[in-house]
């Protein structure tokens, strides 16, 4: 197999049904899949990592479901700018289960100009990560307790991690 043309490993599974079949024996992953299934639009298992894609309007409910399934620790939130593809932004939430010793990535895609609900009511630790994504990518989180810039000066023009941001900044 050509790693450039197909970077997936041989045991990779793509799609909800394929992932469910591939992980039928895996307790931690099954807990996550079963809990988040009502919210899932896609799933991927590759290199020992489970990624579940959810609809952006269900992120709070999906977060509650993941927490109830045993994923009790919020590790990280980051974004990817897929410009010029729409929806433009991919938000990746990294969760950890201390019980299962397993990580879970929950992904939601948001178009430019759209907002997504804040998950600070589920995991207060998401506060600063959401502010960072807002500051550097311009993704708006509705219901956030204090959505202000965290890294760039308040008077900064634009969001520097967007792919259409000028390399030398605006002049």
């Amino acid at each position: 197999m050509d790693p450039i043309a197909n970077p997936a490993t041989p045991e990779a599974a793509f799609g909800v049904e394929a992932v469910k079949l591939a992980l039928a024996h895996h307790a931690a992953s099954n807990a996550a899949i079963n809990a988040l299934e009502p919210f899932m639009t896609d799933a991927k298992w590759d290199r020992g990592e489970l990624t579940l894609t959810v609809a952006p309007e269900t992120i709070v409910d999906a977060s509650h479901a993941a927490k109830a399934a045993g994923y009790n620790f919020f590790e990280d939130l980051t974004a990817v700018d897929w410009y010029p593809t729409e929806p433009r932004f991919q938000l990746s939430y990294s969760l950890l289960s201390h019980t299962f010793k397993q990580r879970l990535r929950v992904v939601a895609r948001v178009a430019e100009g759209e907002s997504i609900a804040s998950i600070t009511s589920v995991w207060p630790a998401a506060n600063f990560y959401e502010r960072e994504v807002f500051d550097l990518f311009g993704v708006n989180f509705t219901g956030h307790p204090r959505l202000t810039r965290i890294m760039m000066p308040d008077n900064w023009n634009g969001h520097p991690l967007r792919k259409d941001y000028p390399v030398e900044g605006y002049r």
Side-chain angles (χ1 to χ4, degrees):
M1 177 186 332
D2 180 10
I4 302 298
N6 187 359
T9 57
E11 66 275 357
F14 299 94
V16 176
E17 294 305 318
V19 169
K20 285 168 70 173
L21 183 62
L23 299 176
H25 64 284
H26 201 271
S29 298
N30 269 333
I33 292 168
N34 292 335
L36 275 75
E37 190 166 16
F39 315 109
M40 288 177 11
T41 59
D42 199 9
K44 178 174 84 168
W45 171 260
D46 191 20
R47 294 175 177 81
E49 296 179 356
L50 178 61
T51 303
L52 303 178
T53 303
V54 300
E57 60 273 7
T58 66
I59 192 63
V60 174
D61 293 332
S63 298
H64 280 294
K67 195 171 193 179
Y71 288 85
N72 60 329
F73 186 75
F74 176 83
E75 284 187 315
D76 190 25
L77 164 62
T78 191
V80 179
D81 184 359
W82 290 106
Y83 178 79
T85 305
E86 282 295 332
R88 181 174 179 171
F89 300 104
Q90 173 184 311
L91 301 176
S92 296
Y93 300 81
S94 298
L95 311 176
L96 172 69
S97 170
H98 288 105
T99 305
F100 297 127
K101 295 176 179 46
Q102 177 77 32
R103 284 185 168 79
L104 169 66
R105 182 180 304 114
V106 177
V107 170
R109 300 286 304 262
V110 179
E112 184 171 7
E114 289 182 2
S115 59
I116 189 166
S118 172
I119 61 165
T120 55
S121 62
V122 183
W123 284 296
N127 185 329
F128 293 106
Y129 295 101
E130 289 179 351
R131 286 179 63 193
E132 180 181 34
V133 169
F134 166 74
D135 190 5
L136 300 177
F137 289 93
V139 176
N140 190 28
F141 293 88
T142 57
H144 191 280
R146 185 175 175 229
L147 195 60
T148 57
R149 289 196 179 267
I150 193 170
M151 299 181 84
M152 305 303 292
D154 288 337
N155 61 351
W156 191 265
N157 186 17
H159 305 283
L161 290 186
R162 287 182 171 210
K163 287 192 176 172
D164 57 353
Y165 189 81
V167 177
E168 295 182 9
Y170 292 112
R171 299 202 182 259

